Amino acid sequence: MDAIRIYGGNCLKGQTTIQGSKNASLPILAATLLIDGICEIENCPEISDVFHMQRLLESLGCKVKREETRIRVDTTCLSGCDMPSDSVGVMRSSVMLLGALLARLGKVCMEYPGGCVIGARPIDLHLRSLRKMGVAIEENENGFCAETTGLTGADLTLPFVSVGVTENLILAAVLADGVTTIEPVAREPEIRALCDFLSRAGARIEGSGTKRLVIHGVEKLTPVRFCVPADRIVAGTYLCACMCAGGQVFLKDAPVNDMESVLSQAVAMGAAIGYEPDGIVVTGKDHESTGDIITTGCYPAFPTDMQSPFMVVMALSGRGGRIEEKVFENRFRIVPELQRMGADITVHGNTAYVAGASRLRGAIVQAQELRGGAALVIAALAADGTSIVTNRHFIDRGYEDIVLSLRDLGADIELA
Ligand code: EPZ
């Protein structure tokens, strides 16, 4: 079955190593298309979204080989510009192949990547910005064809911050003719990792980590070997698991410097954090929450991807609190599932009001997207009795074997 069975009540103990970042691996794998030759990307997580990206690169003529967590991409025979719809549709990150393919091949046709339950996930800003860089785009009801005789640098002022748009425009600009300025840009650590990768390959990018990027187009990039940073959202997920189940866990390789807002929120809600040279020791369960308010936003604000796991912590904590979701329009789909487990949560618009000190009970609950699914697993760890979390495939998109990792930490959990 595509599900996970959890018998709640065990506290967590031991160590888990945090996997490489999904949201850094995907744009960096897309960026290899800009480089004629063989790149080696290390610490790529073994998750289905990365597998779909590998398939997309192969469908374009690249030779892609995984050796453990290293992915070798040879783009010498890059040819096609049509991607299999089953991978494009499944994974939104396919849209960031757009900038790379236009830079390398000058043409790409693809279906709209589609939305998901957390939001419509439009790509209007991607397309509008690329048009300003000399790209002609013809749209139809299913998708579009984009073509250019050569990308040209432009001064791009964006109406709001978008991670994906920032990534796509960086990939379009590094080989463009002239200088591109982009403002405001997303400042997520995954954007910094992409800029580090491209700079190592010879790109000229100024302002990495700030709100404004200046990119001087260059003639060519050269193949590099690069190690992807650890996944801050996966680290935050295991942090929440320990806070809800209780116990003490060492999160090896947790990217502490990229987790300030998450760690300070965890401490405010009762977690004890010990800092080691290669990770953090988390001690959980005495929830002292004093009625917290969590508001999600662009980095360095509290990340929207941590919103659902922290909702579970808040439901178990002393006085609960409220969560304001400012990034996506529909990211409270987990609420009815948590209510079925006994949580007392009400939603008005983009705000969830979470009553604290809930005693969660085991139930059959349905994952509907990646982070909400992980949060249901966390809730089941703390619930009385047995829970079944269905639609495990959503969780597999972003977490390497969450069942094995949690079982190794003492959870009573198995594939169902
Ligand atoms: C990235 O999605 C991440 N995905 C998301 O992580 C993350 O939640 C999100 O950034 C915000 O941090 C990857 O990196 C693969 P956005 P992205 O463009 O790029 C709107 C996970 O769980 N928008 O910053 O799609 C959009 O609808 C995933 O790992 C437009 O309106 O997010 C959203 O409301 C979930 N038009 C807002 O901008 C556009 O053309 C911010 O989205 C593009 C975006």
Side-chain angles (χ1 to χ4, degrees):
M1 229 170 99
D2 178 22
I4 301 173
R5 179 183 297 109
I6 300 122
Y7 190 79
N10 292 12
C11 64
L12 302 183
K13 230 163 85 58
Q15 162 176 323
T16 192
T17 300
I18 301 303
Q19 68 188 57
S21 165
K22 166 176 90 77
N23 292 349
S25 300
L26 295 172
I28 287 169
L29 287 168
T32 62
L33 291 172
L34 295 168
I35 301 168
D36 185 9
I38 299 173
C39 289
E40 295 195 337
I41 313 301
E42 305 192 347
N43 203 26
C44 283
E46 297 185 63
I47 54 177
S48 56
D49 267 13
V50 170
F51 169 73
H52 282 296
M53 180 58 84
Q54 289 174 231
R55 280 197 64 227
L56 286 172
L57 294 176
E58 286 169 339
S59 69
L60 297 167
C62 300
K63 292 193 188 70
V64 184
K65 189 169 177 352
R66 179 185 272 274
E67 296 141 5
E68 293 181 356
T69 63
R70 176 187 302 142
I71 294 181
R72 205 166 168 278
V73 183
D74 181 349
T75 66
T76 321
C77 303
L78 177 63
S79 54
C81 60
D82 287 335
M83 288 173 274
S85 51
D86 61 335
S87 276
V88 169
V90 162
M91 198 193 62
R92 280 190 43 76
S93 326
S94 47
V95 74
M96 73 187 64
L97 291 168
L98 193 46
L101 282 173
L102 286 167
R104 187 77 189 273
L105 296 177
K107 179 176 170 41
V108 56
C109 297
M110 63 188 284
E111 292 189 5
Y112 290 121
C116 65
V117 290
I118 67 176
R121 314 293 296 273
I123 62 167
D124 53 329
L125 191 52
H126 291 258
L127 302 183
R128 195 188 320 159
S129 306
L130 288 169
R131 284 188 169 107
K132 291 178 185 166
M133 296 182 73
V135 181
I137 300 174
E138 271 189 42
E139 298 188 66
N140 57 53
E141 67 277 7
N142 296 320
F144 59 89
C145 269
E147 200 157 357
T148 180
T149 52
L151 288 158
T152 52
D155 291 327
L156 303 171
T157 302
L158 303 178
F160 53 82
V161 170
S162 156
V163 170
V165 171
T166 300
E167 290 164 346
N168 231 339
L169 296 180
I170 291 170
L171 298 183
V174 289
L175 294 175
D177 179 20
V179 181
T180 301
T181 63
I182 315 168
E183 187 173 14
V185 292
R187 294 187 284 155
E188 272 67 4
E190 296 77 29
I191 306 275
R192 283 204 313 271
L194 176 63
C195 290
D196 290 350
F197 169 78
L198 290 166
S199 301
R200 208 171 296 174
R204 289 181 55 206
I205 303 171
E206 295 161 13
S208 176
T210 72
K211 288 186 176 169
R212 183 173 186 265
L213 289 179
V214 179
I215 301 172
H216 302 260
V218 295
E219 280 299 307
K220 189 175 161 48
L221 297 175
T222 52
V224 288
R225 174 179 288 185
F226 185 82
C227 185
V228 167
D231 193 310
R232 62 191 172 103
I233 304 300
V234 170
T237 305
Y238 284 100
L239 163 67
C240 290
C242 185
M243 290 177 74
C244 293
Q248 187 173 73
V249 173
F250 177 50
L251 304 183
K252 189 171 181 316
D253 299 341
V256 172
N257 296 333
D258 297 338
M259 297 175 69
E260 305 91 333
S261 62
V262 170
L263 294 174
S264 57
Q265 185 60 49
V267 169
M269 295 175 84
I273 308 278
Y275 293 84
E276 301 292 336
D278 57 345
I280 50 174
V281 178
V282 179
T283 307
K285 202 143 191 182
D286 50 345
H287 303 110
E288 305 154 2
S289 167
T290 52
D292 284 80
I293 299 172
I294 293 177
T295 303
T296 67
C298 311
Y299 191 89
F302 188 88
T304 175
D305 293 347
M306 284 276 73
Q307 183 251 93
S308 293
F310 267 83
M311 184 182 285
V312 180
V313 178
M314 196 177 269
L316 294 166
S317 65
R319 288 176 41 197
R322 74 169 189 263
I323 295 177
E324 296 166 340
E325 171 56 53
K326 299 276 192 188
V327 178
F328 289 106
E329 66 268 29
N330 194 14
R331 203 165 196 173
F332 289 138
R333 298 293 292 264
I334 186 179
V335 169
E337 307 304 310
L338 290 180
Q339 288 168 335
R340 197 170 306 140
M341 298 178 80
D344 176 2
I345 305 171
T346 50
V347 174
H348 295 292
N350 71 340
T351 302
Y353 298 86
V354 183
S358 303
R359 289 278 309 160
L360 298 181
R361 57 179 180 271
I364 297 176
V365 289
Q366 194 183 62
Q368 302 191 26
E369 39 84 25
L370 168 55
R371 307 302 176 187
L376 290 174
V377 171
I378 290 171
L381 294 174
D384 297 329
T386 301
S387 299
I388 305 272
V389 180
T390 62
N391 287 342
R392 186 181 74 235
H393 62 274
F394 282 120
I395 302 169
D396 292 344
R397 290 190 53 182
Y399 295 86
E400 280 181 343
D401 209 335
I402 196 169
V403 169
L404 182 63
S405 300
L406 288 173
R407 189 189 302 135
D408 287 350
L409 291 174
D412 186 343
I413 181 171
E414 62 187 358
L415 295 177

